[in-house]
């Protein structure tokens, strides 16, 4: 009897992901917060144009907003992975509320000049940088892993909805009541996220008997993981190239609005709103498009579209044409950045997820901040149109990275941590800070399996280095051709304990495959050595 194949289950939808109460509440609070931040950035950028008339200072607002991400995202990611995320977020939000209240008060009193606005914008950006990894990792922790892409897309829609609504609303408030009241409303957005985090705090980290990671060591662990995880490294390199080139349009938008299109504050807010609207519309279709086109084709289309939009924005003097182009540009921006973010977060195990989120943020917004300053300075030198055309060329050139840095999402066994064996085969455990620690694993290999064994054991280099080893190599015993020794060094005993806990199911499967090449009755023998002072 012929069996009819069962239809494949449809992937989870964004609507299904929103059924989680905590996710929905944190997303709502974050949306209001993002709206307030977008309003504040728009008001300060337009003030720079009115107060100074400088393209460079207008673009420098984007740098002041996003440079803190470059400086603080990784330390904040370590703290999110190792400390109380709830306390970290609430503290950062309280400080930001005070800073924004000071900005509103100083401006309403007439005491805030360009320098004051830039400094306070930078400090508020520092608060956002400190809370972002905790918020990003905390909000996705409340959904199952198979819903993670939809959750990230929902976050992207929320963020870009804010970028659509915030500037548009800010432009109207700015025109009706002035910039000071825009800053007052920003304070309300900060307090909205504070309330949602207070009512729905992120899940605490699971208890662990391992020594707590320190800030510097945690940062090195994240950098080492990225360096030796080809999947994550490729995604971050592509993010840097895309964000640096695309920042030209975002940074020069105030100058395009005032000088090229002759718009006021309301018109500039509408320009920003078009980018955000396009991003929201694209977010509704990213999931099906990603399944149909695949990661690389979808990203390539997005890069080409955004490059064309920059060209139109640089050459057009017709508002409606620029508005239409920016809607397409916002959709392309959302599509590419969401794909990079999803690929990064689905390619890391839980122990480093907040740090991976921070690294993505660092790469995206750090290059955005530096790129904004560069394109603003270039615009002052050569003009807005040549600067935007140069940005479009840089965006197109980024497609050359497809071959050396391909995109992929890791399989489940590559990000699921394996059960930890408690047997270390040591007489006594040293002090956690003692080290360096040298580990030697001896294999006795069947003669006919030597070449296959060497191919397989070489694959251990990535996981060992990725999870903590500073040195790794395999040696052949000159006195016994069947005997091979794998040796690696870890900075301290605590780092070695963390390294063992970070092994994934895929690493475990590789070690099982290695045992198939060994002589019968000769399992691997592990020895540990501690450096003597």
């Amino acid at each position: 009897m012929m069996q009819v194949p069962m239809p494949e289950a449809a992937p989870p939808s964004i609507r299904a992901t929103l059924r989680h109460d905590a996710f929905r509440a944190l997303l709502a609070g974050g949306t209001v917060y993002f709206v307030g931040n977008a309003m504040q950035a728009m008001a300060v950028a337009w003030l720079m144009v009115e107060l100074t008339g400088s393209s460079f200072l207008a673009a420098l607002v984007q740098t002041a907003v996003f440079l803190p991400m470059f400086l603080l995202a990784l330390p904040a990611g370590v703290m999110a992975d190792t400390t109380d995320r709830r306390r970290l977020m609430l503290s950062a939000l309280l400080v930001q509320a005070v800073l924004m209240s000071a900005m509103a008060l100083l401006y309403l009193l007439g005491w805030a000049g360009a320098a004051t606005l830039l400094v306070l914008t930078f400090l508020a950006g520092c608060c956002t940088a400190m809370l972002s990894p905790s918020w990003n990792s905390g909000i996705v922790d409340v959904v199952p892993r198979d819903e993670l892409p939809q959750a990230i897309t929902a976050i992207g829609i929320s963020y870009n909805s804010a970028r659509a609504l915030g500037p548009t609303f800010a432009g109207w408030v700015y025109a009706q009541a002035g910039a000071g009241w825009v800053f007052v409303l920003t304070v309300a957005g900060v307090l909205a996220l504070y309330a949602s985090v207070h009512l729905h705090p992120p899940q605490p980290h699971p208890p662990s008997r391992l020594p707590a990671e320190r800030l510097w060591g945690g940062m090195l662990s994240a950098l080492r993981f990225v360096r030796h995880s080809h999947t994550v490294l490729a995604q971050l390199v592509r993010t840097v190239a895309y964000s640096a080139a695309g920042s030209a349009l975002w940074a020069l938008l105030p100058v395009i609005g005032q000088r090229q299109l002759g718009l006021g504050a309301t018109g500039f807010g509408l320009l920003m709103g078009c980018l955000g609207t396009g991003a929201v519309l694209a977010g509704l279709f990213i999931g099906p498009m990603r399944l149909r086109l695949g990661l690389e084709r979808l990203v390539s289309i997005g890069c080409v579209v955004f490059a064309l939009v920059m060209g139109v924005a640089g050459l057009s003097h017709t508002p409606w044409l620029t508005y239409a182009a920016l809607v397409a540009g916002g959709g392309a921006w959302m599509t590419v950045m969401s794909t990079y973010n999803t690929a990064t977060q689905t390619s890391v195990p839980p122990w480093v997820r907040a740090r991976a989120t921070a690294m993505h943020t660092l790469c995206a917004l750090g290059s955005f901040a530096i790129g904004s300053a560069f394109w603003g300075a270039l615009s002052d030198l050569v003009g807005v149109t040549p600067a935007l055309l140069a940005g479009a060329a840089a965006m197109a050139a980024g497609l050359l990275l497809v071959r050396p840095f391909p995109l992929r999402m890791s399989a489940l066994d590559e990000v699921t941590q394996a059960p930890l064996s408690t047997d270390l085969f040591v007489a006594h455990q040293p002090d956690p800070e003692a080290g360096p620690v040298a580990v030697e694993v001896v294999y006795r290999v069947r003669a006919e399996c030597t070449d296959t064994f060497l191919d397989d054991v070489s694959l251990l280099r990535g996981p060992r280095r990725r999870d903590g080893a500073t040195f790794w190599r395999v040696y052949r015993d000159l006195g016994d051709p069947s005997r091979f020794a794998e040796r690696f060094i870890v900075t301290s005993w605590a780092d070695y304990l963390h390294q063992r806990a970070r092994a994934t199911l895929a690493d475990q499967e590789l070690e099982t495959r290695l045992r198939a090449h060994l002589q019968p009755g000769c399992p691997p023998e592990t020895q540990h050595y501690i450096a003597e002072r």
Side-chain angles (χ1 to χ4, degrees), residues 177-203:
W181 290 101
V182 176
F183 302 146
V184 170
L185 293 174
T186 300
V187 178
V190 175
L191 296 178
L193 182 56
Y194 183 95
S196 67
V197 173
H198 182 74
L199 293 174
H200 298 277
Q203 298 175 4

Side-chain angles (χ1 to χ4, degrees), residues 158-477:
S158 166
Y159 180 70
N160 286 286
S161 296
R163 297 187 83 160
L165 296 173
T168 304
F169 185 45
W172 181 82
V173 174
Y174 191 107
Q176 300 299 317
W181 290 101
V182 176
F183 302 146
V184 170
L185 293 174
T186 300
V187 178
V190 175
L191 296 178
L193 182 56
Y194 183 95
S196 67
V197 173
H198 182 74
L199 293 174
H200 298 277
Q203 298 175 4
H205 297 300
S208 173
R209 297 181 180 179
L210 300 179
E213 284 188 276
R214 295 184 177 180
L215 182 61
W216 179 248
M219 291 170 61
L220 291 179
S221 294
L223 294 172
R224 189 182 298 115
F225 183 93
V226 169
R227 169 65 181 83
H228 296 284
S229 173
H230 299 302
T231 301
V232 177
L233 180 62
Q235 294 151 10
L236 296 183
V237 169
R238 301 278 292 276
T239 299
V240 167
Y242 184 79
S243 185
S247 64
L249 180 62
W250 295 92
L252 297 176
L253 209 56
V255 185
I256 294 171
Q258 187 194 54
R259 298 182 188 173
Q260 200 160 296
L261 301 177
L263 302 176
T266 303
F268 171 57
L270 188 57
L271 288 176
M272 295 286 289
C274 287
L275 281 168
T277 300
V280 173
L281 294 175
L284 301 175
F285 304 100
I286 285 177
M289 288 192 299
R290 192 178 291 148
L291 290 174
R292 182 174 181 179
L293 299 175
L295 298 182
E296 288 292 10
R297 186 178 298 177
L298 184 62
V299 166
S300 296
I301 292 172
C303 289
V304 171
V305 170
F306 201 84
L308 293 174
V309 169
M310 283 198 285
V312 172
L315 297 170
S316 171
H317 292 270
T318 306
W320 68 264
L321 179 59
T322 304
Y323 290 144
L326 291 179
V327 171
W333 184 267
M334 169 67 176
T335 298
V336 176
M337 293 303 287
S338 174
T339 299
Y340 287 153
N341 191 17
T342 301
T344 298
Q345 291 207 44
T346 55
S347 298
V348 295
W351 70 267
V352 76
R353 180 170 294 154
R355 275 169 278 190
T357 301
M359 290 293 290
H360 172 81
T361 302
L362 185 154
C363 291
L365 299 186
S367 57
F368 193 98
I370 296 171
S372 295
F374 171 78
W375 296 117
L378 184 64
S379 174
D380 274 348
L381 291 174
V382 302
V384 175
T385 298
L388 282 169
L389 293 178
M395 176 68 70
L399 295 176
L400 298 175
L401 296 173
V402 171
R403 186 177 296 274
F405 297 102
L407 297 177
R408 63 179 288 264
M409 294 185 187
S410 294
L412 182 60
D413 64 344
E414 295 178 281
V415 298
T416 303
Q417 291 171 241
L420 179 62
S421 170
T422 58
D423 197 348
L424 286 169
F425 302 102
V426 294
H428 66 278
Q429 292 202 36
D431 184 82
E433 300 302 320
V437 175
V439 182
E440 179 182 78
V441 185
V442 175
Y443 306 90
R444 292 193 176 275
V445 181
R446 289 180 288 155
E448 67 275 16
C449 296
T450 298
D451 291 339
T452 309
F453 168 81
L454 289 174
D455 289 339
D456 285 344
V457 78
S458 67
L459 299 178
L460 278 177
R461 180 183 187 278
R464 301 290 198 216
R465 296 293 302 271
R466 178 197 69 203
D467 293 342
T470 59
F471 171 86
W472 181 92
R473 184 156 293 181
V474 172
Y475 299 86
R476 185 198 300 265
D477 189 338

Side-chain angles (χ1 to χ4, degrees), residues 1 46 51 53 69 109 117 120 130 150 157 162-163 171 243 288 369 377 405 429 481 485 489 499 505 510 527:
M1 182 177 179
W46 193 254
L51 293 174
M69 293 293 183
L109 294 175
L117 293 172
L120 289 175
M130 289 302 298
Q150 289 71 34
I157 292 175
R163 297 187 83 160
S243 185
F405 297 102
Q429 292 202 36
I489 295 176
Q499 183 202 39
L505 293 177
L510 175 57
Q527 300 291 333

Side-chain angles (χ1 to χ4, degrees), residues 76 78-86 88 134 203-205 213:
V78 176
M79 295 176 69
D81 277 328
T82 59
T83 63
D84 185 344
R85 290 180 290 186
R86 174 182 177 276
L88 178 61
S134 294
Q203 298 175 4
H205 297 300
E213 284 188 276

